[in-house]
């Protein structure tokens, strides 16, 4: 038996992880034996046919350290969610195995794993303790897990960015040196064949390793597309680069007049430069997510039941825990102030330039910095369930979602790539068979056509604009919660505005009236027993009034205390038209007294209506208040059309009627009663102090600069759409001009590489303008 045969007989591959094993053995360890049995038991044997290779990385750990993953589970109800970082992934087959194995578990509703970020999102119905069982299942399959954190995201981003920059450095170095040699060949008319051959071989020695190493990020993308059964733009680039390199190698071997290693290396360098710039543009949008999540990282001071203080990671704090926030410390979690007052700087999350004061019982925003004395607060939500995490998820969803222009670009790229290959093939046949030139010479215009028609610029024309615009809006306090919101916001032509809490401050104040101080004091004492906005406003108007005893509240009508009544006109039996924001008070032996209130208009409300009109949006006021109050606000804000006493159903019906007329309404509301109308509108927005339900139903949340941010956001959205159309138009025009020139042999592969890559850089540079909209400084 030969030496090679003996070695082959002694070592084969493990049936699970692929590591070397002695002859006759199927598995390298008992862990792989158990993992293989588990895969077979789950009916997932296709994993071994799907994966492309194995290097032993799936070998299960013998003594994996125990860790309680229950603490990292989100969700208080029946539905639970866990996010994990999964190590040991080698290819798409590993992703398939993880998702299928978890999906086979009872009550699992969602298992999604991203190969690029190694991020697993798992949802199930049942107890949080099942998290440990899921992690144990993955460990038995050979995958190592850890709780997902923003640090994982940053580490992944840094690693991928370093790979691109490293590839760009190699490509740039190779391109410069090859170009130096190529220039000598171009201008050396009297160069001898031996010298020219030496130059070609020197260029090949530099160019071939450069193409093989620097192009790896692009080649991986092409292979990924093939695995998914589609041709992507990376495949067009890969074919262009490799065909140019192969043609140049052929010319080197036969000592032809010219080689095009300079074209291949220059194309790679410019394309990688474009990807680095595109990544930087997208990182600006993702940086907002990282900054938000970073605000809740670190330690907090938790107070035990006996008042003992000790440091604890913010991720371990749960709703209901009490924390101490020192002067100058950042509040990392959503909380409620227990006692006293607090002065917080919330500019990191809502863009407010001045610190704001809070009183006991008021909600405190996570991410704010304590600018005053230390205070004690009670946490209302864990870090993973808080407002910062929610905003981060909305930002991620907005950046990743696809709008109409993105879908169009994707469809065009899917069709365009096969067309590119067909054009290149026909160009080769035209010159070879039609024009009678040699196949080496016919390959030159064919490669040029393949390179020049690469749809890189078209593919990034819209996503780059969207990423930049979403990040720019967030930095100005506008949270875009839907990926298609920018397109719809840009096309809105009519604004439907809510009144209370939207155009007004939502805090009614008592107006002077025909009442006595004694009547005010008695009524305010009764009002302390209710949380109705008007009752609270009445109590604040007379803060020293003692609280009345034995007050009974009649829901929807008013308060009763013995023979005294405080409430609506109908509750007291007062006849006449509804005067809007009014509370009536009646005491035995005295005539009913009316306490009238006014909800002050936001300072920027009139400016909002005026700016919307300047943008071509007509406006109407839609409110559930009484006609006098609605008419007053409409008059102050400069709105001609208004509707009063509108129920939530009426508001939703009005939006549907506008859409039926062919209008594209923008709904601006803040309350629970606006949620249905917000969801039905063409596009919707909510002030930053709106209810959670209204913010969830809205496409945009105006967290800073008040209502004035909405017109500026519309201008930014329209600018973004113009830039997207410009990018698409430029890409189409570029191809219309460049393709015929390449087919006719006027454009060489080098010129094609420079022109094509330059077009991508132009598209990226144009997209960056979306983040520099002068509307914000207007």
């Amino acid at each position: 038996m030969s030496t090679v045969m003996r070695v082959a007989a002694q070592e084969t591959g493990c049936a699970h992880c692929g590591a070397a094993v002695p002859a006759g053995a199927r598995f390298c360890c008992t862990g792989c034996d158990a993992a293989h049995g588990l895969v077979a038991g789950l009916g997932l044997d296709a994993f071994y046919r799907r994966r492309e290779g194995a290097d032993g990385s799936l070998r299960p750990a013998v003594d994996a350290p125990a860790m309680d993953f229950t603490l990292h589970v989100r969700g208080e109800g029946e539905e639970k969610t866990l996010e994990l970082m999964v190590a040991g992934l080698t290819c798409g087959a590993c992703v398939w195995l993880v998702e299928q194995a978890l999906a086979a578990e009872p009550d699992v509703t969602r298992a999604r794993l991203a190969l690029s970020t190694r991020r697993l999102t798992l949802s199930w119905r049942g107890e949080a303790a099942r998290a440990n069982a899921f992690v144990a299942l993955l460990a038995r399959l050979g995958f190592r897990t850890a709780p997902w954190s923003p640090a994982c995201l940053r580490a992944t981003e840094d690693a991928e960015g370093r790979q691109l920059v490293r590839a760009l450095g190699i490509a740039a170095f190779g391109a410069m040196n090859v170009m130096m040699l190529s220039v000598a060949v171009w201008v050396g008319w009297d160069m001898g064949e031996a010298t020219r051959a030496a130059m070609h071989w020197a260029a090949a020695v530099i160019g071939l390793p450069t193409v093989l190493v620097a192009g790896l990020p692009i080649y991986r993308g092409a292979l990924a597309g093939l695995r998914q059964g589609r041709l992507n733009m990376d495949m067009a680039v890969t074919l262009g680069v490799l065909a140019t390199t192969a043609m140049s190698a052929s010319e080197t071997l036969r000592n032809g007049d010219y080689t095009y290693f300079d074209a291949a290396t220059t194309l790679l360098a410019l394309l990688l430069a474009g990807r680095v710039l595109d990544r930087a543009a997208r990182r600006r949008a993702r940086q907002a997510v990282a900054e938000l999540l970073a605000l809740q990282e670190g330690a907090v001071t938790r107070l035990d039941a006996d008042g003992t203080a000790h440091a604890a990671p913010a991720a371990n704090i749960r709703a209901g825990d009490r924390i101490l926030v020192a002067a100058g410390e950042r509040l990392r979690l959503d909380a409620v102030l227990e006692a006293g007052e607090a002065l917080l700087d919330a500019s990191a999350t809502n863009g407010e330039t001045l610190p704001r004061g809070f009183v006991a019982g008021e909600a405190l925003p996570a991410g704010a910095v304590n600018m005053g004395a230390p205070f004690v607060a009670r946490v209302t939500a864990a870090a993973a369930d808080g407002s910062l995490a929610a905003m981060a998820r909305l930002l991620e969803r907005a950046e990743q979602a696809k709008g109409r222009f993105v879908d169009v670009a994707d469809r065009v790229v899917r069709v365009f790539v096969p067309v590119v290959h067909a054009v290149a093939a026909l160009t080769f046949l035209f010159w070879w068979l039609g024009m009678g030139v040699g196949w080496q010479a016919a390959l030159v215009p064919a490669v040029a056509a393949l390179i020049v028609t690469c749809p890189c610029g078209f593919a990034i024309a819209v996503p780059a604009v969207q990423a930049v615009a979403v990040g720019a809006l967030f930095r100005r306090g506008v949270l875009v919660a839907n990926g298609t919101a920018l397109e719809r916001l840009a096309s809105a032509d009519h604004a439907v505005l809510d009144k209370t809490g939207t155009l007004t401050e939502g805090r009614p104040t008592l107006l002077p009236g025909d009442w006595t101080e004694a009547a005010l004091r008695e009524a305010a004492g009764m009002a302390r027993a209710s949380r109705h906005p008007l009752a609270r406003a009445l109590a604040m108007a007379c803060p020293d009034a003692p609280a009345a005893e034995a007050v009974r509240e009649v829901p929807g009508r008013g308060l009763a205390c013995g023979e005294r009544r405080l409430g609506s006109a109908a509750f007291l039996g007062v006849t006449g038209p509804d005067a809007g924001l009014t509370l009536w008070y009646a005491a035995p032996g005295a005539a009913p007294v009316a306490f009238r209130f006014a909800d002050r208009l936001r300072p920027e409300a009139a400016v909002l209506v005026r700016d919307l009109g300047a943008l071509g949006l007509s406006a109407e006021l839609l409110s559930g208040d009484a006609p006098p109050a609605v008419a007053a606000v409409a008059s102050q804000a400069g709105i001609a059309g208004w509707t009063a006493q509108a129920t939530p159903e009426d508001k939703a019906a009005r939006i549907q009627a506008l859409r039926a007329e062919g209008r594209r309404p923008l709904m601006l509301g803040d309350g629970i009663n606006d949620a249905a109308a917000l969801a039905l509108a063409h596009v919707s927005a909510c002030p930053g102090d709106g209810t959670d339900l209204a913010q969830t139903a809205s496409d945009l949340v105006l967290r800073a600069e008040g209502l004035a941010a909405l017109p500026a956001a519309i201008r930014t959205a329209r600018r973004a759409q113009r830039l997207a159309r410009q990018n698409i138009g430029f890409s189409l025009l570029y191809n219309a001009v460049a393709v015929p020139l390449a087919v006719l042999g006027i454009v060489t592969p080098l010129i094609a590489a420079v022109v094509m890559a330059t077009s991508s850089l132009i598209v990226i540079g144009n997209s960056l303008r979306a983040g520099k909209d002068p509307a914000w400084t207007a």
Side-chain angles (χ1 to χ4, degrees):
M1 182 183 293
S2 67
T3 302
V4 175
M5 294 180 64
R6 282 197 299 271
V7 171
Q10 290 171 0
E11 292 191 353
T12 57
C14 174
H16 177 68
C17 73
V21 297
R26 291 194 64 199
F27 305 101
C28 61
C29 63
T30 56
C32 283
D33 190 357
H36 188 276
L38 176 60
V39 172
L42 292 171
L44 303 177
D45 303 79
F47 163 70
Y48 298 108
R49 297 189 299 272
R50 285 170 173 262
R51 71 175 178 181
E52 300 141 10
D55 56 1
S57 60
L58 280 186
R59 184 179 302 170
V62 178
D63 295 316
M67 178 179 181
D68 187 8
F69 285 82
T70 305
L71 299 176
H72 302 278
V73 175
R74 299 200 315 267
E76 299 295 334
E78 183 71 13
E79 188 80 15
K80 300 295 190 300
T81 301
L82 176 65
E83 291 188 334
L84 298 171
M85 181 79 171
V86 181
L89 303 175
T90 58
C91 62
C94 295
V95 175
W96 177 85
L97 177 62
V98 170
E99 292 182 347
Q100 294 298 319
L102 291 173
E105 289 291 305
D107 298 329
V108 170
T109 58
R110 182 171 182 263
R112 291 291 181 269
L113 176 59
L115 179 60
S116 59
T117 61
R118 271 59 173 173
R119 186 178 188 174
L120 170 65
T121 302
L122 178 64
S123 300
W124 71 93
R125 294 188 180 92
E127 299 296 327
R130 293 192 61 191
N132 292 325
F134 295 138
V135 171
L137 171 64
L138 295 180
R140 290 165 57 197
L141 291 174
F143 299 102
R144 300 173 299 282
T145 55
W148 175 265
S149 72
C152 299
L153 176 63
R154 288 194 293 272
T156 303
E157 289 287 316
D158 292 343
E160 294 177 356
R162 285 194 298 268
Q163 289 177 1
L164 273 180
V165 172
R166 184 164 54 247
L168 172 59
I170 295 172
F173 176 81
M176 288 186 293
N177 285 276
V178 170
M179 186 65 70
M180 179 180 63
L181 297 169
S182 298
V183 169
V185 175
W186 296 343
V187 300
W189 302 105
D190 56 347
M191 181 180 295
E193 289 190 8
T195 305
R196 185 179 61 198
M199 291 292 184
H200 286 341
W201 278 103
V205 169
I206 300 173
L208 287 173
T210 300
V211 168
L212 294 177
V213 177
L216 285 177
I218 297 175
Y219 306 153
R220 292 192 190 103
L223 289 175
L226 286 178
R227 293 191 201 107
Q228 298 171 7
R230 61 184 178 87
L231 297 175
N232 55 21
M233 67 176 185
D234 284 339
M235 177 55 66
V237 174
T238 298
L239 289 179
V241 170
L242 296 182
T244 304
T245 304
M247 177 184 65
S248 300
S250 172
E251 291 296 292
T252 301
L253 291 173
R254 71 185 193 93
N255 195 16
D257 292 336
Y258 300 104
T259 61
Y260 294 97
F261 291 112
D262 49 3
T265 54
T266 301
L267 174 60
L268 281 177
L270 292 175
L271 280 178
L272 290 169
R275 296 198 177 192
V276 170
L277 290 176
D278 179 58
R279 187 179 187 83
R282 293 176 180 276
R283 187 169 60 245
R284 291 183 183 180
R286 286 194 293 267
Q287 184 179 1
V289 177
E291 289 173 353
L292 276 176
L293 296 176
L295 294 179
Q296 62 187 20
E297 290 184 341
V300 300
T301 303
R302 179 165 56 190
L303 298 177
D304 292 337
D306 58 0
T308 303
H310 58 89
N316 293 348
I317 304 299
R318 294 291 177 260
D321 290 349
R322 298 171 68 243
I323 59 175
L324 174 65
V325 183
E329 183 181 358
R330 187 177 298 278
L331 177 63
R332 304 186 183 281
L333 302 160
D334 295 290
V336 172
L337 183 62
E338 282 204 339
E341 298 180 350
L343 182 66
L344 299 180
D345 176 10
S347 58
T349 56
N350 60 20
E352 293 181 358
T353 56
L354 297 177
R356 185 160 69 91
F358 296 83
V359 298
E362 219 174 335
L364 307 177
V369 177
N370 182 14
M371 304 296 291
F375 61 85
V376 176
R378 186 172 297 277
V379 176
T380 56
D385 302 320
S387 58
L388 295 179
M391 280 192 289
R393 287 191 290 270
L394 288 175
L395 277 174
E396 288 178 336
R397 187 178 68 189
E399 188 201 347
Q400 295 170 2
K402 292 185 177 181
R404 177 172 56 89
F405 283 125
V406 180
D407 287 336
V408 169
D410 285 347
R411 287 196 297 268
V412 170
V413 168
R414 285 196 295 268
V415 174
F416 195 63
V417 171
V419 172
V420 167
H421 299 159
V423 168
L426 292 175
T427 302
F428 174 76
L429 295 175
F430 168 75
W431 284 96
W432 183 36
L433 301 179
M435 303 300 295
V437 302
W439 69 268
Q440 294 92 343
L443 198 58
V444 173
V447 169
L450 186 64
I451 293 174
V452 83
T453 53
C454 174
C456 297
F458 197 94
I460 64 175
V462 183
V465 172
Q466 180 171 292
V468 172
V470 168
L473 288 174
F474 175 79
R475 288 190 292 274
R476 300 297 303 186
V478 179
L479 178 62
V480 181
N482 189 295
T484 64
L486 292 180
E487 295 175 15
R488 291 183 280 114
L489 182 63
S491 62
D493 59 8
H494 181 73
V496 179
L497 310 176
D498 176 51
K499 182 183 77 68
T500 304
T502 303
L503 291 184
T504 65
E505 295 179 347
R507 295 189 294 270
T509 56
L510 180 64
L511 298 174
D514 298 329
W515 36 263
T516 64
E517 289 296 328
L520 173 62
R521 189 177 181 83
E522 292 176 0
M526 290 182 62
R528 292 187 181 281
S530 174
R531 297 188 61 82
H532 189 279
L534 294 185
R536 297 178 68 179
L538 184 61
M540 292 180 62
C542 188
D544 59 341
E549 298 180 357
V551 178
R552 178 174 56 88
E553 184 166 6
V554 180
R557 304 191 67 191
L559 303 170
C561 182
E563 296 296 323
R564 292 184 294 159
R565 297 287 187 273
L566 176 67
S568 64
F571 183 50
L572 273 67
V574 177
T575 58
D578 188 354
L581 299 178
T582 303
L583 279 181
W584 289 85
Y585 173 70
V593 177
F595 295 99
R596 305 188 189 280
F597 301 83
D599 192 0
R600 288 183 299 184
L601 200 68
R602 291 183 187 259
E604 67 273 19
V607 178
L608 167 70
V609 175
R610 184 192 64 205
D611 289 349
L612 290 176
L615 291 169
L617 277 75
S618 54
E620 67 174 276
L621 186 59
L622 199 58
S623 174
D625 270 351
V630 178
V633 170
S635 176
Q636 296 175 46
I639 301 175
W642 54 271
T643 302
Q645 296 179 328
T647 64
E649 293 77 12
D650 294 334
K651 293 184 178 183
R654 176 58 180 161
I655 295 296
Q656 289 178 320
L658 288 169
R659 301 199 68 165
E661 296 172 6
R663 307 295 296 273
R664 296 183 292 275
L666 159 65
M667 175 68 189
L668 178 63
D670 75 314
I672 295 175
N673 59 334
D674 300 317
L678 289 168
L680 289 170
H682 178 67
V683 63
S684 54
C686 176
D689 54 0
T691 63
D692 291 341
L693 183 59
Q695 293 190 27
T696 301
S698 299
D699 298 306
L700 300 100
V701 180
L702 312 176
R703 300 188 58 85
E705 299 191 17
L707 303 179
L710 184 58
I714 295 175
R715 288 192 289 268
T716 297
R718 291 181 177 179
R719 181 182 178 85
Q721 299 313 299
R722 287 197 301 271
L723 292 175
R725 286 192 290 267
Q726 289 173 10
N727 286 348
I728 292 175
F730 170 77
S731 298
L732 294 175
L733 178 62
Y734 154 77
N735 280 284
V737 174
V739 172
L741 295 178
V743 171
L744 294 175
I746 299 175
V747 174
T748 66
L750 175 61
I751 297 176
V754 173
V755 171
M756 189 278 292
T758 303
S759 71
S760 298
L761 296 179
I762 292 174
V763 166
I764 294 171
N766 193 45
S767 301
L768 291 175
R769 296 169 56 204
K772 301 178 181 179
D773 194 337
W776 290 109
T777 58

